[in-house]
Amino acid sequence: MAEVIRMPKMSDTMEEGVIASWLKEEGDEVNSGDILAEVETDKATMELESYQDGVLLYIGVKEKESVPVDGILAIIGEKGEDYKPLLDEAKASNGNSEDKGLGSAGDTSSEPTAKTKAIDTSSINASIIRMPKMSDTMEEGVIASWLKKVGDSVESGDILAEVETDKATMELEAYEDGTLLYTAVDAGEGVPVDGVIAIIGEKDADYSALLKTEADGEKQEAAFEPQKDQPKMEASFAQPASSPTVTTSQNGRIKASPLAKKIASDKGIDLSEVNGTGPEGRIVKKDVENYTPSAPLQAAVTKSTTESKSAPINLPKVVDEEHSQKIEISQMRKAIAKRLSESKFSAPHFYLTMEINMDKAMAARKSMNEVAPVKISFNDMIVKAVAAALKKHPKINVSWGGDHLMQHDHIHIGVAVAVPDGLIVPVLKFADQKTLSHISAEVKAFAERAKERKLQPEEFTGNTFTISNLGMFGIEAFTAIVNPPDACIMAVGGIKETIIVKEGEMKPGNIMKVTLSCDHRAVDGAVGAAFLVTFKEFMEDPIRILV
């Protein structure tokens, strides 16, 4: 009997996988244990194994395409078996809207039903005002303030509202006379691009059918087109044309939109010289763009230009071709972006920085490397010192659980490793029980396998604390984003030779800065500070780690 092969969840953070390559083709015989494909996850490239014998009847995804967890990959069954009913059933269970609508070429039975349910809005003398895309990166806008309220008359060029985008606060204006019949959101609320903001039309027009059409998700473009005997109404952030005036508030401040102020500042224009054409003489974008200096100012500019021309500067003309390249985001980069964004914007971070005298640590490392079976690095010593400090401060070794804290008795330390696609965090489990030589060998092995994308899920999950070290790149100090599910991450800078004051005398010494980033929901400042003090003691006198 045929069986559907679905995308398995290969890591705790995996949401989708990309088929890096198919190792079997449709029609190939498959035995249990055969590798069907290589799947690129957010952590590594892993093998998709078959758990049954049969023939690969169907492949549903091409190479380099992504599939969500539990999505359909393939079907394996007996040779010649009809798998289409099983495929249709699987797609239906997935709620695949595209496949639900598939049928024979002559099957148009659904069309009359759709037409009978469609709502005719062509006779409604009103138009929907949608959120325009005001910048190339804009996904939604927030209504900073409404300058018109329901029931107000609206004239061409009136500013309906101020919209806060990801770039600036901009004006939303209308090109049509009418009445503001409906506002979809209150000030301070967000609206996605192309979402409904308001409805403008004839007074007392029945606009409920427009809203019902939007609620039902029925896209009827013809219904929204203005009729020939009616002028077109739309909203944009273009400028109005009304009688020129300049208005100031009671405190003498000139009334101007934020965008108009920015453009005026960039162009060096005095807003007191600009005539405002917005509501109550408000200066808008178009007023600044169409502004021409008065005669005296123009004469001064001309004179200045003439003087500057008396001593021309000949600059070579640089000619080149602009070129940009679109780079597809890897699964690892997607996961990094998602997880760290969630951490940064959901976990309230605070940071504690401390300087550590590394003179004794440098001497101890030199002595240990004379007898150690593997070369011990400063990072290995930091891992060991962190593990020892966590044993003394278990309140740092916790995870935030929403309505509870999870305090861990085991100490699993994640060590951030840079790889070509981003970074991955292999985990040294039970780090407090391992020797420096053991830690050194394990970190090196993890780093090599991470760069080859050969780490297994159990090797990069389960961390209770994370270390990120950029000291080898000459970075003096930095802050890191907490790596969930940890409550803390330590950012380690490089060792810098400097002058230090010791016993009232200035002497040369070696200083290393570390910064502890903490999730304030789980860890308080005093707890983090006490942990850093203990860590500092261990690093400044490494023999204490052994006690």
Side-chain angles (χ1 to χ4, degrees), residues 88-122:
D88 292 340
E89 181 183 347
K91 287 181 177 180
S93 67
N94 274 4
N96 190 322
S97 59
E98 277 186 27
D99 296 320
K100 285 182 180 179
L102 292 177
S104 62
D107 184 7
T108 58
S109 59
S110 62
E111 293 182 8
T113 304
K115 289 182 179 178
T116 57
K117 291 183 179 179
I119 301 173
D120 182 12
T121 59
S122 59

Side-chain angles (χ1 to χ4, degrees), residues 29 61 261 263 323 353 377 470 507:
E29 290 189 1
V61 186
K261 290 178 182 178
I263 296 173
H323 178 71
T353 300
S377 68
L470 294 179
K507 297 180 180 180

Side-chain angles (χ1 to χ4, degrees), residues 143-346:
I143 302 297
S145 63
W146 281 104
L147 303 182
K148 295 287 184 180
K149 61 180 182 294
V150 173
D152 284 356
S153 295
V154 177
E155 296 180 357
S156 175
D158 282 357
I159 305 171
L160 301 176
E162 289 184 331
V163 178
E164 181 182 339
T165 74
D166 57 338
K167 302 286 188 184
T169 300
M170 308 179 76
E171 299 166 348
L172 182 73
E173 303 177 21
Y175 274 158
E176 178 72 25
D177 298 339
T179 300
L180 183 58
L181 302 173
Y182 169 80
T183 55
V185 293
D186 296 327
E189 294 182 353
V191 182
V193 169
D194 205 38
V196 177
I197 297 176
I199 295 178
I200 297 177
E202 292 184 357
K203 190 174 182 179
D204 299 327
D206 183 8
Y207 57 85
S208 58
L210 292 176
L211 293 177
K212 190 174 189 309
T213 300
E214 286 295 317
D216 294 343
E218 298 174 354
K219 303 294 183 179
Q220 298 184 32
E221 296 181 3
F224 297 135
E225 292 180 2
Q227 301 188 12
K228 292 182 180 178
D229 59 344
Q230 295 178 343
K232 182 179 179 181
M233 174 176 289
E234 62 182 46
S236 70
F237 40 95
Q239 280 54 245
S242 57
S243 58
T245 57
V246 179
T247 304
T248 59
S249 61
Q250 293 180 353
N251 60 7
R253 183 176 62 85
I254 297 173
K255 290 186 177 180
S257 71
L259 183 59
K261 290 178 182 178
K262 184 179 185 304
I263 296 173
S265 175
D266 293 343
K267 293 185 175 183
I269 296 174
D270 184 356
L271 286 176
S272 64
E273 300 288 336
V274 181
N275 291 329
T277 60
E280 301 179 353
R282 182 187 180 91
I283 298 172
V284 293
K285 174 185 172 186
K286 185 177 180 181
D287 300 328
V288 179
E289 291 180 337
N290 294 341
Y291 168 72
T292 46
S294 59
L297 179 59
Q298 186 64 48
V301 172
T302 305
K303 180 180 178 182
S304 175
T305 304
T306 304
E307 290 175 355
S308 65
K309 287 182 178 179
S310 62
I313 300 175
N314 294 323
L315 295 175
K317 187 176 181 180
V318 178
V319 180
D320 203 347
E321 182 180 350
E322 293 183 354
H323 178 71
S324 301
Q325 180 181 0
K326 180 181 178 181
I327 300 175
E328 295 297 332
I329 302 299
S330 68
Q331 294 300 105
M332 179 178 288
R333 177 54 58 190
K334 287 180 184 178
I336 292 171
K338 182 176 184 298
R339 283 172 58 77
L340 295 189
S341 293
E342 289 175 353
S343 173
K344 184 65 174 176
F345 299 125
S346 65

